[in-house]
Amino acid sequence: MKHGLAALCAGAFAVLLGLASVAAAPVDDQFRAWLANDLWPEAKAKGVSKKTFDAAFSGVKPNLKLPDLVTPGEQPKTPKTQHQAEFGAPGAYFAEKTVGGVTAGGRARAAAHARTLAEVERRFGVPGPVVLAIWGRESGFGAARMPYDAFEVLGTKAFMATRKDMFRKEVLAALAMVERGAVKRDAMKSSWAGALGQPQFLPTSFLEHAVDMDGDGRADIWNSTPDTLGSIANYLAHHGWRKGRDWGFEVVAPDNVSCALEGPDIGRLISQWAAMGVRRVSGKPFPAHEANAEGFLLMPAGRNGPAFIVTPNFYVLKDYNMSDLYALFIGHAGDRIAYGDRGFAGRWGSVDKLYRSDIAGLQRALESKGYDVGGADGLPGFKTRRSIGDWQAKNGRAPTCFPDAGLVRALK
């Protein structure tokens, strides 16, 4: 019995030594082992050939300069650096140089691609100006350089990103693209996030939504403008775009309409918002076909910025890039492409500069008080914004529905 126990202990010790040696191995070696022993078996089971797999990762090493990586064996930490627009003043996202460039570029291309855009709208129900705004925002109408090797980015992130499971699906989808002949290996260039082509699709989005609009027998989101425009519209249609509805309207929300009423889960008929005193900044009534449909309050900077009543189409735009500011940018730029330049009527105020860790701490404090903030991720989304507003109102403060330095101190 003692011999058996000694042998068992020795065996366990050997296993621990083996694990320690793996953990201590250079990241490049761990990556190659992961490719061979973990990713390849699943890729093979999904129909990827060894030739395709080996070509995809030939010479590829993990790119440790990419954001949101976790060194194997370590726990993820909430970064203090600010990479997202929400961490600073939301108004900075709408710099006129950026919005004006997309707007002017979209108008310049609207006539040249009028026939394609009309066919796109007929097939998918998505207005041309919205499609043009996404095309311009995502890739500068195809002019933006894609300097990264997609398999380097996706492989690195599938191996060691904070969202490994998501990127594992994407790298497997990228392998499927090459295996099926949708694109050649050498053409798999991407952004730092692994997004591809002029619409900046992740590989799963390419497989699900890319379409052949020019009739050459293949969906080419790298070189074909018709395929690019059609693929963008198809993505939106698949995510629930409602033909005939707008994306939303800038409004004036009076003080009696709490900013804590924001969110896609607190809908009212637009006529009911109007009855509460919410009115369009243009002075025009809400369109008759919208008045008896559902709308939602959006205040991306709380009381320190413009307010909007948005439709379900706004949240379809948000599906394209999970940011309220992104969806608002596209809707706003689309309006300017369609109707001419007109900025927001409401002013974007300055906000306190906060680190992501500051906001995460504030979110955890609100969670401890029973609020649903959508997770303590350091992102002030609508659930965090309205929770702030509710807490402020209950504690004798004027609701602003946006984080600030004083609020961070008060909730510590």
Side-chain angles (χ1 to χ4, degrees), residues 34-289:
W34 171 79
L35 287 175
N37 302 323
D38 189 340
L39 190 64
W40 161 240
E42 185 172 359
K44 180 181 179 181
K46 291 182 178 294
V48 176
S49 68
K50 192 68 164 63
K51 179 180 178 181
T52 294
F53 189 88
D54 288 346
F57 293 105
S58 177
V60 170
K61 295 181 178 181
N63 185 341
L64 303 183
K65 295 181 180 180
L66 296 173
D68 301 322
L69 301 183
V70 180
T71 301
E74 293 186 359
Q75 293 297 315
K77 298 177 182 179
T78 301
K80 296 194 73 173
T81 54
Q82 300 186 35
H83 295 296
Q84 302 280 349
E86 288 85 352
F87 301 159
Y93 198 86
F94 302 95
E96 182 56 32
K97 180 179 179 181
T98 305
V99 182
V102 170
T103 301
R107 281 202 301 265
R109 289 163 175 79
H113 303 295
R115 182 176 297 180
T116 297
L117 290 166
E119 177 61 15
V120 164
E121 185 163 358
R122 186 193 69 79
R123 281 182 58 177
F124 304 111
V126 182
V130 170
V131 176
L132 288 168
I134 291 176
W135 185 26
R137 178 64 184 176
E138 290 296 331
S139 66
F141 306 101
R145 290 180 62 250
M146 298 297 142
Y148 292 89
D149 180 277
F151 285 105
E152 176 188 277
V153 172
L154 297 171
T156 300
K157 288 179 173 287
F159 175 57
M160 58 187 301
T162 54
R163 294 181 292 169
K164 290 192 291 187
D165 290 345
M166 184 194 95
F167 283 103
R168 187 182 185 92
K169 293 178 183 177
E170 297 302 338
V171 75
L172 289 166
L175 288 164
M177 290 171 61
V178 177
E179 182 69 30
R180 298 175 192 180
V183 58
K184 292 183 178 179
R185 165 63 181 94
D186 291 345
M188 289 292 280
K189 301 296 183 181
S190 75
S191 71
W192 62 265
L196 307 167
Q198 296 187 46
Q200 283 293 272
F201 277 176
L202 286 171
T204 54
S205 292
F206 176 89
L207 294 176
E208 293 169 8
H209 309 301
V211 295
D212 172 22
M213 285 291 294
D214 60 16
D216 69 353
R218 59 188 294 263
D220 182 358
I221 63 171
W222 295 269
N223 305 298
S224 169
T225 295
D227 291 3
T228 293
L229 299 176
S231 297
I232 291 170
N234 192 37
Y235 181 102
L236 298 178
H238 282 173
H239 282 77
W241 184 273
R242 301 186 186 184
K243 184 177 182 179
R245 292 210 67 183
D246 209 314
W247 68 268
F249 309 90
E250 188 181 355
V251 300
V252 175
D255 291 341
N256 66 294
V257 176
S258 171
C259 54
L261 294 175
E262 181 184 4
D265 52 351
I266 310 180
R268 286 176 166 80
L269 296 180
I270 292 180
S271 60
Q272 293 175 319
W273 288 112
M276 294 167 66
V278 177
R279 58 181 177 80
R280 294 176 66 183
V281 295
S282 66
K284 298 178 181 178
F286 291 102
H289 72 280

